[in-house]
Amino acid sequence: MSTAAAPAAPSRPAPPGAATRRLWRHARLATFAGAQPWGWIEDGALVIEGARIAWVGADGDLPAGTHAAAEEVDLQGALVTPGLVDAHTHLVYGGDRAGEFEQRLQGASYEEIARAGGGIRSTVAATRAASDDALFAGAARRARALMAEGVTTIEVKSGYGLAEEHEARCLAAARRLARELPVCIRTTSLAAHALPPEYAGRPDEYIDTAVTWLAGQRSRGLVDAVDAFCDTIGFTPAQTERVFAEAKRLGLPVKLHAEQLSDQDGAALAARFGALSCDHLEHLSPRGIAAMKESGTVAMLLPGAFYFLRETKLPPVAALREAGVPMAIATDHNPGSSPALSLVLMLNMACTLFRLTPEEAWRGVTVHAARALGLADRGTLEAGQRADFAVWDAEHPREIAYRFGHNPCRRRVFGGDEDPAVTSIVRP
Ligand code: NIG
Ligand code: FE
């Protein structure tokens, strides 16, 4: 079916004075709430008051009186899902790594390039050289691309500044995105991403210095969480633990790039600190899975990086499923290992590469992604939740996971307000 013809403007305007109440009717709703698969409601309605969902249910059960007060949109059977949450990105950086892509095609490995001073460190040089406005403009273009596919919340990490001033500039650029675009941004400090050249051979000194930046980032309102890269080309578990200890002292939640290229037992370490998520996890051990289950840590799977680095070791999806560890999916957008700007494509990759079911993949970009950010007010369509949702040219979300290389998002609503930039996209 095509719902592209669904009216772009409300079919009946609100009476004066009742402008913040909106009624979206005759939608196929995937709420991801309740016990039903998909939280499915076949002919559903949403009542939105201001930035919140006031009521969700079957259209025929709409509370009496709702119709009279509401501005009304008839969705003619179009699919509505929660707004998508991209809970792991490195959106703020300068330059690109297309040359490194060519090097890898000629046989150099990601680790070899990193050890030779390229990789993350080449992006660090380009990031430091970029102006605040250039950093913001690049990140804004990338955020817009994600938003065009129904993304309403984006986590953005620092990690390409690797000096106090530059880390702060990157976090500030991320905060500016939320001021200038209709999107929610959560920021994560990732100073423990790579060793900057001025600390070559002195990783412990770098970590001791980098942890002192966190208090200032926190007091300036620049940071919501703290991350580290615990791996052979990143930092050791002992160094990671020092970062986490300072985060804990400051009351900031932690997460970890864990077991991406090797098993460092990072997931168990992060779980001891009650991590919100452990991310990548291709080399995750049964011990790590048990620790994550115990601490309620989300497993953040990143099929874009797996694909682009041509990894062969799969994350232990069946064991995570068996253990009941919630799985989330994100783009991991970054210039080196995942220059992907489509969370919709990640749905397909999560199914095809990692063998998630379409419903698991969808929960991974909605309810579980929200949990990976510690956000309980989004990721499902339920009364009381933020009114962040997307309208799709599809009858069922499995269709969206099945196709790839397309954008079926037709309308995007953020905090109750329709995003005109998405509604007005001209389609073939
Ligand atoms: O999530 N693993 C470490 N960090 C990024 C890659 C960073 C880069 O190569 O620039 C990741 O894959
Ligand atoms: Fe990452």
Side-chain angles (χ1 to χ4, degrees):
M1 78 172 234
S2 173
T3 55
S11 47
R12 178 153 60 76
T20 62
R21 193 169 207 214
R22 294 193 175 98
L23 175 54
W24 296 75
R25 299 193 60 185
H26 301 300
R28 291 184 164 89
L29 293 180
T31 68
F32 300 109
Q36 276 283 101
W38 306 90
W40 191 251
I41 301 174
E42 178 66 25
D43 180 18
L46 291 162
V47 180
I48 307 301
E49 276 174 6
R52 298 272 156 187
I53 299 173
W55 186 90
V56 187
D59 196 274
D61 296 339
L62 269 168
T66 311
H67 305 56
E71 197 179 298
E72 195 172 311
V73 185
D74 181 351
L75 286 166
Q76 302 171 10
L79 172 69
V80 173
T81 68
L84 273 48
V85 176
D86 194 350
H88 180 142
T89 84
H90 309 246
L91 221 56
V92 179
Y93 57 84
D96 66 65
R97 305 247 287 281
E100 176 181 318
F101 177 53
E102 286 180 317
Q103 276 179 279
R104 286 200 293 111
L105 287 168
Q106 282 153 21
S109 77
Y110 182 73
E111 288 97 322
E112 281 161 7
I113 293 167
R115 287 212 176 84
I120 295 175
R121 271 188 283 170
S122 72
T123 301
V124 171
T127 301
R128 289 177 178 180
S131 69
D132 291 355
D133 281 342
L135 286 177
F136 170 76
R141 270 197 307 277
R142 299 188 272 268
R144 260 291 167 209
L146 294 171
M147 291 160 66
E149 294 190 343
V151 172
T152 48
T153 298
I154 307 175
E155 185 256 16
V156 180
K157 301 175 195 297
S158 67
Y160 292 118
L162 307 189
E164 185 168 20
E165 175 205 345
H166 295 293
E167 284 290 294
R169 288 197 315 121
C170 292
L171 292 168
R175 283 284 191 244
R176 187 174 159 197
L177 292 173
R179 289 197 302 276
E180 299 198 16
L181 298 175
V183 68
C184 175
I185 299 290
R186 301 295 286 180
T187 57
T188 301
S189 178
L190 178 57
H193 194 197
L195 193 61
E198 54 277 20
Y199 282 88
R202 299 182 294 138
D204 285 306
E205 276 175 61
Y206 174 65
I207 290 295
D208 288 343
T209 305
V211 297
T212 67
W213 305 337
L214 277 176
Q217 290 171 356
R218 184 173 176 278
S219 65
R220 289 173 61 195
L222 289 176
V223 61
D224 300 314
V226 177
D227 194 349
F229 182 26
C230 182
D231 219 310
T232 46
I233 56 167
F235 294 93
T236 65
Q239 289 157 350
T240 302
E241 184 161 0
R242 301 218 295 278
V243 176
F244 284 177
E246 178 63 358
K248 186 175 177 188
R249 195 183 72 78
L250 295 169
L252 290 167
V254 302
K255 54 184 68 188
L256 188 65
H257 283 72
E259 326 332 351
Q260 180 186 9
L261 307 168
S262 62
D263 181 9
Q264 302 285 319
D265 216 12
L269 167 65
R272 281 210 300 286
F273 283 84
L276 289 173
S277 68
C278 289
D279 305 41
H280 288 285
L281 300 177
E282 279 81 348
H283 295 260
L284 181 64
S285 68
R287 191 181 123 77
I289 295 174
M292 288 173 68
K293 170 67 183 167
E294 177 77 24
S295 61
T297 300
V298 173
M300 176 70 68
L301 306 178
L302 304 170
F306 177 90
Y307 161 79
F308 197 61
L309 297 184
R310 303 185 75 232
E311 299 291 354
T312 49
K313 186 156 172 52
L314 286 159
V317 166
L320 287 164
R321 185 186 286 133
E322 170 88 359
V325 174
M327 293 180 279
I329 305 295
T331 60
D332 188 19
H333 176 87
N334 74 76
S337 71
S338 185
L341 281 170
S342 171
L343 193 52
V344 165
L345 176 59
M346 297 305 121
L347 288 171
N348 179 272
M349 284 189 172
C351 298
T352 307
L353 298 174
F354 293 169
R355 314 309 286 168
L356 266 68
T357 67
E359 184 176 357
E360 285 174 329
W362 264 98
R363 288 184 184 268
V365 297
T366 54
V367 58
H368 294 160
R371 178 167 162 179
L373 297 179
L375 299 172
D377 65 348
R378 67 199 71 191
T380 59
L381 299 174
E382 287 175 277
Q385 293 290 77
R386 279 185 58 85
D388 293 348
F389 58 91
V391 182
W392 305 89
D393 181 13
E395 291 186 0
H396 195 281
R398 70 168 71 89
E399 294 166 37
I400 296 168
Y402 142 77
R403 292 195 183 87
F404 60 95
H406 71 144
N407 177 11
C409 182
R410 293 294 175 262
R411 303 170 80 164
R412 174 184 179 275
V413 175
F414 176 71
D417 291 326
E418 183 147 14
D419 179 355
V422 172
T423 312
S424 65
I425 293 173
V426 177
R427 297 169 208 284

